[in-house]
Amino acid sequence: MTFQSRIKIAIIGAGPVGSLCACFMAEYGYDVTVYESRTDIRHTETTIGRSINMALSERGINALQFINLDNIVIDELAEPMYGRMIHSIDGRKYNILYDILENKCLYSVNRNDLNAVLLTKLEKYQNVKLNFSHKLVDIDFKTTQLTFETLENPQKIVKPDIVIGCDGAYSTVRKNMIRLPMFNYSQMYIDHGYLEINLPSNLNKDILSAHYLHIWPRGTFMLIALPNKDKSWTCTLFMPMDKFPLLLESETENILSFFYKHFKDFTNLIHPKYLIDQVKNGKARTLISIKCNPYHVNDNFLLIGDAAHAIVPFYGQGMNAGFEDCTLLNLLLNEYEHDLNTVIKMFTSRRIHDTEAISDLAFYNYTEMRDLVARKSFLWRKKIDNILQKWFPQTWIPLHSSVSFTTIGYKQCQLNNQCQNKILFLVLILFATMFGIAMYFIVMSTSTTISA
Ligand code: FAD
């Protein structure tokens, strides 16, 4: 019996991050019990409009590698996306590749499918117990006592040694932490929300070119479409929340004319009745951004994933960042030789600058996706970035590439981008000054010639 097997770890939440974290802990031989409030998603049908496709990128893949799931996920669940395909309002289309050097891609994965694969992996560990329909309702931080509501027992009590809260953006673990002194917390609902629309595979599928993330940027709102393995598309309309009732409660003709006006080529792909049904029966969902500090209480309660740092989805990094939390935990376990209490205390200071940076970058990317990608200045900047990246592949890594295709800390990615912006600004000033001086001498020499 190893010392790890005597340490009881409770993981709250069997979403993607909780399941992965439990696998990591199980690999090391800890005694892991996972508590999930819902029933097993593998036996529950997904409701249309609640599927959520996610862009899996380097940080997520890197974490999956530790439990040898990276290739399985990429080969069996994922569709590659090599760039953005922009659909202009006038019907023009153009692509913006993510990576011109090595043609790297993001992977479109259905959240439930990925979660299911992780749960199946988790079940195979002898040292893991998986409890569904166990809703955490209360915590006593002094005694490490957790109270769960289950189908049979309204007050099931357990006492683990370590608790890792992976219970998502509306975390109960975090709600209990908020009451404690010196625990800082902030949340912000953004003005925009989203509505999911499914584009089935059997309808004119060839019009949307595969292997791209399609975007219809319309200034204050946008539609995006991510490919699925079965050739269907998961589309999401992002729009100010106060505009949704006008659309969802509209007459059929008004809904259709909205889609025809703003997303004509998309609307031609979908049967009008199917579109109308989804819009009328759909629900606009809110988007929340959450920050807290620290991520731990005492030396035995820790928050990771959305429970610690839910971000808006526009950089496609929420789950990737949660998976990277698991990678950091792994690193710290090795660095502190499995002294879990020290690992938990060190986690916040090693992670918080990066998670706050990606939270800010995710806000910025919404403006980029719904507005900037349609502007000439953005496309010029992209061209300059591509040229500089070709010339200096080791030093000039554009922001999107460093966030999506490397494991450079998010904070460092943000700082590098600020530095690149300054360099480009200075070069622009230099060119403008040189141009000004040249013009001055040309004008002066012309006027001297005329007066002579
Ligand atoms: P969750 O997925 O929320 O899982 C939490 C789990 O805890 C759930 O199973 C829940 O049932 C359980 N739970 C909750 N309360 C309790 C309780 N009291 N007791 C027991 N169990 C409990 N991320 C990306 O990386 N790429 C993307 O492209 C991307 N796109 C997104 C698009 C949209 C529209 C949205 C909304 C999000 C997107 N994300 C994306 C973010 C991603 O979905 C989340 O970051 C990810 O799901 C977080 O995983 P998690 O396990 O931390 O939390």
Side-chain angles (χ1 to χ4, degrees), residues 246-259:
L246 296 175
L247 178 69
L248 304 191
E249 292 155 23
S250 272
E251 298 298 320
T252 302
E253 314 84 75
N254 294 344
I255 296 176
L256 278 179
S257 72
F258 169 85
F259 276 91

Side-chain angles (χ1 to χ4, degrees), residues 12-19 35-38 41 52-57 111 115 134-137 148 166-173 194 196 226 236 238 286-287 304-307 309-323:
I12 315 300
V17 175
S19 308
Y35 301 93
E36 165 59 46
S37 57
R38 291 184 293 187
I41 52 153
I52 297 191
N53 266 45
M54 297 193 296
L56 175 71
S57 51
R111 177 164 65 176
N115 206 163
H134 275 60
K135 184 180 180 193
L136 178 78
V137 285
F148 291 93
C166 313
D167 48 345
Y170 301 94
S171 164
T172 305
V173 181
Y194 69 97
E196 215 177 81
L226 274 80
T236 315
F238 291 96
T286 52
L287 291 167
I304 62 169
D306 273 18
H309 45 70
I311 60 177
V312 291
F314 307 112
Y315 230 115
Q317 284 296 315
M319 182 194 64
N320 287 291
F323 280 8

Side-chain angles (χ1 to χ4, degrees), residues 156-411:
K156 177 173 168 177
I157 289 174
V158 299
K159 278 192 181 192
D161 301 306
I162 303 284
V163 180
I164 306 184
C166 313
D167 48 345
Y170 301 94
S171 164
T172 305
V173 181
R174 193 190 60 233
K175 268 181 212 147
N176 280 270
M177 289 179 169
I178 290 169
R179 298 192 216 128
L180 302 176
M182 306 305 286
F183 189 86
N184 300 297
Y185 166 75
S186 68
Q187 69 172 50
M188 192 176 109
Y189 281 99
I190 62 165
D191 294 340
H192 292 234
Y194 69 97
L195 172 77
E196 215 177 81
I197 298 167
N198 173 264
L199 181 61
S201 55
N202 53 350
L203 296 168
N204 305 330
K205 63 178 189 294
D206 51 323
I207 300 181
L208 278 192
S209 24
H211 305 321
Y212 285 101
L213 192 163
H214 290 256
I215 310 180
W216 289 258
R218 297 297 179 256
T220 56
F221 59 101
M222 69 170 175
L223 180 72
I224 65 167
L226 274 80
N228 294 315
K229 206 79 188 147
D230 66 358
K231 307 285 175 222
S232 68
W233 293 79
T234 302
C235 312
T236 315
L237 173 64
F238 291 96
M239 202 162 76
M241 273 311 271
D242 58 0
K243 297 276 185 291
F244 270 113
L246 296 175
L247 178 69
L248 304 191
E249 292 155 23
S250 272
E251 298 298 320
T252 302
E253 314 84 75
N254 294 344
I255 296 176
L256 278 179
S257 72
F258 169 85
F259 276 91
Y260 270 119
K261 183 174 169 197
H262 298 292
F263 316 114
K264 193 171 175 198
D265 54 346
F266 167 82
T267 314
N268 286 332
L269 297 176
I270 188 165
H271 194 285
K273 187 177 169 341
Y274 192 63
L275 173 64
I276 295 295
D277 279 353
Q278 292 191 73
V279 173
K280 286 203 163 172
N281 300 320
K283 187 174 170 236
R285 298 181 196 280
T286 52
L287 291 167
I288 195 167
S289 177
I290 284 168
K291 289 183 177 171
C292 59
N293 184 7
Y295 294 142
H296 66 278
V297 163
N298 304 333
D299 56 6
N300 55 350
F301 283 86
L302 180 69
L303 293 174
I304 62 169
D306 273 18
H309 45 70
I311 60 177
V312 291
F314 307 112
Y315 230 115
Q317 284 296 315
M319 182 194 64
N320 287 291
F323 280 8
E324 202 179 46
D325 288 348
C326 301
T327 307
L328 176 61
L329 261 183
N330 196 9
L331 196 96
L332 293 174
L333 280 172
N334 289 309
E335 202 172 312
Y336 293 98
E337 295 171 348
H338 287 262
D339 173 357
L340 261 170
N341 304 106
T342 305
V343 167
I344 286 178
K345 282 196 290 188
M346 292 309 296
F347 186 86
T348 306
S349 60
R350 293 282 286 269
R351 189 61 174 146
I352 198 143
H353 302 297
D354 286 329
T355 47
E356 293 199 340
I358 190 59
S359 175
D360 298 342
L361 289 171
F363 273 114
Y364 160 78
N365 220 41
Y366 188 31
T367 322
E368 178 169 314
M369 284 175 89
R370 68 180 152 84
D371 191 17
L372 302 184
V373 286
R375 291 179 189 233
K376 288 219 164 70
S377 55
F378 176 85
L379 298 174
W380 273 108
R381 170 66 202 260
K382 189 79 196 149
K383 276 184 188 148
I384 293 171
D385 268 337
N386 287 346
I387 294 169
L388 290 170
Q389 195 185 7
K390 257 188 196 157
W391 286 350
F392 314 105
Q394 302 304 324
T395 41
W396 196 279
I397 309 175
L399 180 62
H400 189 279
S401 298
S402 63
V403 168
S404 304
F405 302 128
T406 76
T407 52
I408 297 171
Y410 290 122
K411 183 72 196 173

